[in-house]
Amino acid sequence: MSDQLSQITHNYREILVGLGENPEREGLLDTPKRAAKAMQYLCRGYEQSLDEIVNGALFASDNDEMVIVRNIELYSLCEHHLLPFIGKAHVAYIPTGKVLGLSKVARIVDMFARRLQIQENLTRQIAEAIQSVTDAAGVAVVIEAKHMCMMMRGVEKQNSVMNTSVMLGAFRESVNTRQEFLQLIGRSK
């Protein structure tokens, strides 16, 4: 077991004791190690970089029309309570000579989502990463998510959904471009 995994496992064991549980009882014997491995997996975005994710998957293109990837599932952990928030991201960009491999958009979403986050920052990080990689004329990101910290504790509101958006370049400057994007993802009235 790595030093990092060992330390996290120890910490989970201490949490169980602090909660009044017996980590030696049958059902909990391997729980600290399983929880440690799960947390490492859920936070694997810290071990990834934008360069590794993109891996050269930029392709020359004459297309200068909006490219949209809708309904990208995302799973993240709220940095305030370490509870999940789950939702989907809609990402668009307007190419200026090169397009990004389709799966790379989803991988960029995942990389940032797999870090302790607040949704507002996650939305901006995705938009800025797509902008820096593609040098697009504009980038738009909308995320809608349900937060377990609001559903399982606190105000316990089961149907609340948080929406965040970041508009860069043409999406920020042009009402028509922004409206087209919002209509295409089904968010405009």
Side-chain angles (χ1 to χ4, degrees):
M1 187 175 348
S2 73
D3 288 344
Q4 183 184 39
L5 180 61
S6 181
Q7 182 62 49
I8 297 170
T9 299
H10 171 77
N11 292 342
Y12 271 111
R13 186 179 192 292
E14 293 302 309
I15 289 170
L16 290 173
V17 170
L19 292 172
E21 263 293 355
N22 174 8
E24 299 303 320
R25 77 173 170 85
E26 183 181 359
L28 293 177
L29 279 175
D30 293 327
T31 297
K33 187 174 182 180
R34 284 193 303 267
K37 285 182 175 181
M39 187 58 79
Q40 284 183 319
Y41 181 82
L42 295 173
C43 294
R44 71 185 183 275
Y46 289 117
E47 297 174 8
Q48 298 173 313
S49 74
L50 195 54
D51 288 339
E52 290 170 342
I53 294 293
V54 173
N55 195 25
L58 283 168
F59 307 102
S61 175
D62 293 335
N63 180 41
D64 62 357
E65 297 292 329
M66 192 180 304
V67 174
I68 301 174
V69 184
R70 292 180 38 210
N71 298 323
I72 303 167
E73 302 95 7
L74 68 86
Y75 309 92
S76 193
L77 292 174
C78 160
E79 68 186 32
H80 299 138
H81 301 100
L82 301 182
L83 290 172
F85 63 93
I86 300 164
K88 54 189 170 182
H90 311 289
V91 179
Y93 67 100
I94 300 172
T96 56
K98 55 190 169 187
V99 293
L100 183 59
L102 176 60
S103 71
K104 303 308 181 182
V105 176
R107 291 180 192 278
I108 289 169
V109 170
D110 281 347
M111 179 183 75
F112 289 112
R114 295 304 187 152
R115 299 174 182 184
L116 302 179
Q117 279 289 6
I118 61 171
Q119 184 175 326
E120 298 90 335
N121 291 347
L122 174 60
T123 310
R124 177 155 300 282
Q125 290 167 351
I126 294 166
E128 289 175 349
I130 298 289
Q131 177 65 49
S132 74
V133 167
T134 63
D135 197 29
V139 175
V141 177
V142 169
I143 293 178
E144 50 192 89
K146 289 188 164 205
H147 291 250
M148 296 301 129
C149 59
M150 273 203 44
M151 297 171 70
M152 295 175 65
R153 54 158 302 282
V155 295
E156 296 184 35
K157 299 301 177 200
Q158 303 308 303
N159 297 307
S160 61
V161 176
M162 182 177 186
N163 289 290
T164 52
S165 69
V166 170
M167 307 288 167
L168 303 176
F171 291 95
R172 186 171 192 84
E173 296 158 7
S174 168
V175 172
N176 290 338
T177 302
R178 184 170 46 255
Q179 277 304 113
E180 178 184 354
F181 166 66
L182 294 172
Q183 286 173 350
L184 288 169
I185 66 167
R187 294 291 167 243
S188 181
K189 295 181 182 179

